[in-house]
Amino acid sequence: MIRPSPAVPIAAPDAYQEQMAREQQVILDTAGVGIVFIRRRRLKRCNQRFAEIFGHPTVSAALQRSNASLYPNDEAFHALGRAAYPVMAQGLPFKTEMQMRHADGHLFWAHLTGKLINPQDTAEGSIWIVDDISEQKEAATRMQSLLQQQKLIFDNALVSILFMQNRRVVRCNRAFEAMLGYGPGELDGAPSRTWYLSDQDWEEATVRCYAPLQRGEVFHEEMRLRRKDGSAMYCDVQAQALDPTDLSKGTIWNGIDVTERRLAQEQLAEARANLEQLVQRRTDELRRTVQELEHTIAQRREAEAHIQHLAHFDALTGLPNRLLLDDRCRTAIAAAHRAGSSVALMFLDLDHFKTINDSLGHRVGDAVLVELAHRLRQAVREQDTVSRLGGDEFVLLLPDTEAEGAANVAAKILQTALEPFLLDGHELTVTPSIGIALYPQDGGNLEDLSRCADAAMYLAKEEGRNSFRFFTASVQARSERNLLLGNALRRALEREQLSLVYQPQLNLATGRLIGVEALVRWNHPELGPISPAEFIPVAESNGLILPIGEWVLRAAARQAAEWLQQGWSPWRVSINVSAVQFRHGNLPTLVREVLATENIPPHVLELELTEGVALYNSQQVSATMEQLADLGIPMAMDDFGTGYSSLSYLKRYKVSKLKIDQSFVRDIVHDPDDRAIVQAIIRMAHSLGLSTIAEGVETQEQIDFLHSQGCNQIQGYWLSKPLDARALGAWMRQRGQFLR
């Protein structure tokens, strides 16, 4: 007997078997299909994918089921045995498709492949490979239904339909055959020359249609064709190439018999020609009368327009007067009432304007008012109204304008008015005092708003002039706070006052951390920490959300790249995207650049969009989402159910996850309404193939409920408060759950 050299150690049998077992388990765990070993009709061993297919959270839970319980009923179980084992006994694999039973009782379609481990001894059991093919089955059923519908439409259409290839009939419907007087099937394979009156007509028609078909356009014209009996007919024809780049693949044509219409048109044309001769004689007689009437009407319209202008516009500046202002104010207030929005009314009075009139004369004063009116029109939007009540008093009506917007306009007017007026060799500077009132809090009509704005204007004069004041003290304070934050926010980026914190997210099914949500924070050296709920709306209103959003995206991607280098994988960083960023148009380009710069795969980043995105141009939203989806970026709908929730945009837009707002999660243990809402969102999401994540989770009772309803993921203080990157790393080490 040959014995191994003592210098070469041989692994103990137990160690070798353990290594083989580990290698087998790795193969099972990484397989993309379910694998199960069955012996004596009992499940002996399976992988995680098998457990997931049958709705079990763990392998051990799956192994507790009997083999027969996987099938719809005992008959299906025994029928499979009768069909499978004669094949498997020959050492061959047995393959089939059949319905199986999920752990929750519902049936699904599966593809099964089974083989005996030892065909000579069936007692050693068998191995089966299982794959869920429910979606493929549903797709095949839908496709068959669609094809049947298309055939019914084609065969029963009243419009003639024809498919041609190489100028021959491939297929046509009965309407086309009947239109030309042919019986069923007579035109099958016939050349297109069959229904033309001459070779010349046939060749010319081919030349005319070739260019538009090759460009991918629809060829459309009225053609003169030949029936089977040789008679001529007229047909309204449309055609399009199946593939414009290769016309040899064929074309589709449809047509309508318009012979009767054409004959009627010809008869009508003849009658019209006779009538036109008669009309021409009458026209010559009436032309002079019409010219005289037009001249009279033009004079009358000019006079009426002048009267109308005098009634509604200021004679000096051309601005709307009090009458037109009152009409536009009623319209703006009615629209604001329906939309639940605000209207701003500004009273503007020039400081010490009487001095200009007294010292330089009314002509110079009038010139100042005209120039100021021009500047005011330039300072506001097209839908805003600038009016003059008389003297140096102006009123500005700003529909759909909140306090912050009104403050911005007032500040712009103050700056505009400071530019010198150069009139008749005089360089003049004027300063206005402005009072602002807001609908609905300060009044419901022009009279009430005017009184409040007038009072606020006098307050501005009393407090030093050359300024603006709101009628309501609280609005004034809030406006000043927003202006303060807006100015400070412009320097926050360059002074590195912004930072990111990260809140972990957990997979409920596996208990594993899957990633974090990146949240922006602002700590001002003088104002202290400022809530995102306060500074994000300010950033959106003044356009700063674009550079801030870009900074957040780049910073989060940079941190994600660092985590990947440290072995945190799989790991995903979710980033909130403002509707302003989404509408800007360059978001896909920016994301593509960030991915390339940080050298990270696209699935590492997830963009969270608010429901407000769906209210904007649906074509632009769809196009942007298509580009992001093409990049491989997953997208989630944030705060679902709190805004304008719509199944239509969930179907239209490429969203893969719904985020359940914490306002619903907070009281799900005690509030039946919140429980019903959360249940409905989860079920709807799953029916659409979407996953769900609940935010604001703080108690074990909330987790138990969410898990029982099939919610996929959670985040909240139960898991962890938002942490900076360093603290998050320490927290992860403490949990012992670095993902590798």
Side-chain angles (χ1 to χ4, degrees), residues 30-46:
T30 57
V33 295
I35 302 174
V36 62
F37 294 87
I38 300 176
R39 183 183 300 156
R40 301 186 185 279
R41 298 187 178 183
R42 299 299 301 176
L43 308 182
K44 294 299 183 180
R45 190 176 179 189
C46 70

Side-chain angles (χ1 to χ4, degrees), residues 297-315 319 321 323-324:
I297 291 172
Q299 289 180 326
R300 183 174 299 173
R301 285 177 177 172
E302 184 178 349
E304 289 175 353
H306 181 65
I307 294 172
Q308 191 75 3
H309 188 273
L310 292 176
H312 293 90
F313 292 89
D314 174 53
L319 296 176
N321 60 15
L323 181 63
L324 184 54

Side-chain angles (χ1 to χ4, degrees), residues 54 76 122 282 385 461:
F54 286 91
T122 59
R282 297 299 184 188
T385 297
K461 286 184 176 293

Side-chain angles (χ1 to χ4, degrees), residues 9-64:
I10 299 178
D14 290 344
Y16 177 78
Q17 292 175 358
E18 290 176 358
Q19 180 179 353
M20 290 295 294
R22 286 194 298 271
E23 291 175 352
Q24 291 175 0
Q25 190 60 47
V26 169
I27 293 173
L28 289 175
D29 291 342
T30 57
V33 295
I35 302 174
V36 62
F37 294 87
I38 300 176
R39 183 183 300 156
R40 301 186 185 279
R41 298 187 178 183
R42 299 299 301 176
L43 308 182
K44 294 299 183 180
R45 190 176 179 189
C46 70
N47 64 354
Q48 180 63 34
R49 178 56 184 155
F50 178 89
E52 292 172 352
I53 289 175
F54 286 91
H56 297 288
T58 63
V59 167
S60 60
L63 294 178
Q64 293 176 9

Side-chain angles (χ1 to χ4, degrees), residues 182-339:
Y182 289 90
E186 284 190 73
L187 289 175
D188 291 350
S192 58
R193 170 66 181 86
T194 304
W195 50 83
Y196 286 92
L197 292 170
S198 67
D199 290 339
Q200 183 179 355
D201 288 349
W202 181 44
E203 294 296 342
E204 288 177 354
T206 301
V207 172
R208 290 196 305 275
C209 72
Y210 181 81
L213 292 178
Q214 194 175 43
R215 293 193 299 267
E217 300 172 356
V218 175
F219 170 74
H220 183 199
E221 75 173 33
E222 188 173 291
M223 305 180 73
R224 191 163 176 259
L225 303 179
R226 177 184 179 278
R227 294 190 181 95
K228 182 180 180 180
D229 62 6
S231 62
M233 62 162 294
Y234 290 93
C235 184
D236 189 312
V237 175
Q238 293 191 59
Q240 192 165 16
L242 298 180
D243 183 355
T245 63
D246 185 4
L247 295 185
S248 67
K249 293 182 179 179
T251 54
I252 181 171
W253 299 70
N254 61 71
I256 301 176
D257 187 347
V258 294
T259 304
E260 293 184 2
R261 186 187 72 187
R262 180 63 179 264
L263 294 176
Q265 289 175 342
E266 291 176 353
Q267 294 174 357
L268 180 62
E270 181 179 356
R272 183 182 292 114
N274 296 331
L275 181 60
E276 285 178 352
Q277 294 179 0
L278 178 62
V279 171
Q280 183 62 43
R281 292 195 298 269
R282 297 299 184 188
T283 301
D284 294 338
E285 297 173 1
L286 295 174
R287 182 176 292 109
R288 289 186 299 273
T289 303
V290 170
Q291 290 175 345
E292 293 174 359
L293 287 174
E294 287 178 345
H295 180 68
T296 302
I297 291 172
Q299 289 180 326
R300 183 174 299 173
R301 285 177 177 172
E302 184 178 349
E304 289 175 353
H306 181 65
I307 294 172
Q308 191 75 3
H309 188 273
L310 292 176
H312 293 90
F313 292 89
D314 174 53
L316 175 63
T317 62
L319 296 176
N321 60 15
R322 176 73 183 222
L323 181 63
L324 184 54
L325 174 66
D326 184 60
D327 180 69
R328 292 184 179 179
C329 186
R330 284 197 300 270
T331 301
I333 288 176
H337 177 72
R338 291 191 298 270

Side-chain angles (χ1 to χ4, degrees), residues 348-353 368-369 372 392 394 430-433 461:
L348 183 151
D349 182 88
L350 294 179
D351 301 329
H352 308 299
F353 181 71
V368 170
L369 296 176
L372 178 62
D392 61 332
F394 294 83
V430 298
T431 59
S433 295
K461 286 184 176 293

Side-chain angles (χ1 to χ4, degrees), residues 25 48 110 120 201 262 288 291 310 317-318 335 355 384 410 420 423 540 590 594 603 639 652 668 688 720 735:
Q25 190 60 47
Q48 180 63 34
Q120 305 304 320
D201 288 349
R262 180 63 179 264
R288 289 186 299 273
Q291 290 175 345
L310 292 176
T317 62
T355 303
D384 299 331
L423 303 168
E540 289 181 331
L590 174 61
V594 170
H603 64 79
D639 301 334
R652 185 185 313 120
I668 54 175
L688 294 174
S720 171
R735 286 179 59 94

